[in-house]
Amino acid sequence: MSRLPPLPDDKLTDAQRKVVEAIKSGPRGRVGGPFPALLRNPDLAGRVAHLGELLRFGTSLPPRLSELAILVTARTWKAQYEWYAHAKLARQGGLSDAIIEAIGRNEKPTGMQPDEAAVYNLCTELHRTHGVSDQAYATARDLFGEAGVVELLAISGYYVLVSMVLNVAQVPLPEGEPVPLAD
């Protein structure tokens, strides 16, 4: 059971209902993940949802690479629900099972394409050292441009927020789903 479970529809304030409808009518199509918890502050929930839509559906990065950045973040934070949700999306976006599984084991994947390696290196370094080396930055910038690097940083930061909310709220996995990340 979540510490901050979904609020019953009949208990929502007008502001909360407005955010729920905005999320449901957007590309997510449903209110899940961190949003039932975030609805305790509807203004915050709406702004987080809006930013998340941009970062998930509106960057210059293909889903294969943005989902890779999300998985690195989910693994770093051991965010079980985030991993559960985004491992599927990463596969749908074209990221290989071998890469997904290696990240899930907290190992550096082998056989990555150059763009995947650049995302992995930038995001992993960012989470581990709270910065990035000149080499990781230059490689990512040369492949994705400055805008792409900024998008990767924003994706990483946004999913840290999401991971924190999911972990503290103890958002459960769907019934019958195994815990995906060990250790």
Side-chain angles (χ1 to χ4, degrees), residues 15-24 28 31 34-54 158 161:
Q16 289 167 327
R17 274 191 202 86
K18 184 177 177 182
V19 172
V20 166
E21 289 310 312
I23 293 171
K24 284 181 178 179
R28 286 182 185 91
V31 178
F35 294 105
L38 289 171
L39 276 173
R40 272 54 180 197
N41 181 323
D43 189 39
L44 176 64
R47 290 170 192 248
V48 170
H50 188 71
L51 178 60
E53 284 180 20
L54 171 67
Y158 174 80
L161 166 65

Side-chain angles (χ1 to χ4, degrees), residues 32-87:
F35 294 105
L38 289 171
L39 276 173
R40 272 54 180 197
N41 181 323
D43 189 39
L44 176 64
R47 290 170 192 248
V48 170
H50 188 71
L51 178 60
E53 284 180 20
L54 171 67
L55 295 174
R56 195 159 150 224
F57 305 108
T59 71
S60 64
L61 302 165
R64 173 178 58 89
L65 298 179
S66 59
E67 291 297 333
L68 172 57
I70 294 166
L71 290 183
V72 168
T73 305
R75 182 62 186 114
T76 299
W77 281 86
K78 201 175 168 190
Q80 302 290 352
Y81 187 92
E82 197 65 29
W83 183 272
Y84 158 79
H86 284 274

Side-chain angles (χ1 to χ4, degrees), residues 56 63-64 67 85-95 97 100:
R56 195 159 150 224
R64 173 178 58 89
E67 291 297 333
H86 284 274
K88 290 182 200 177
L89 295 171
R91 281 185 186 91
Q92 291 170 1
L95 195 62
D97 285 339
I100 295 167

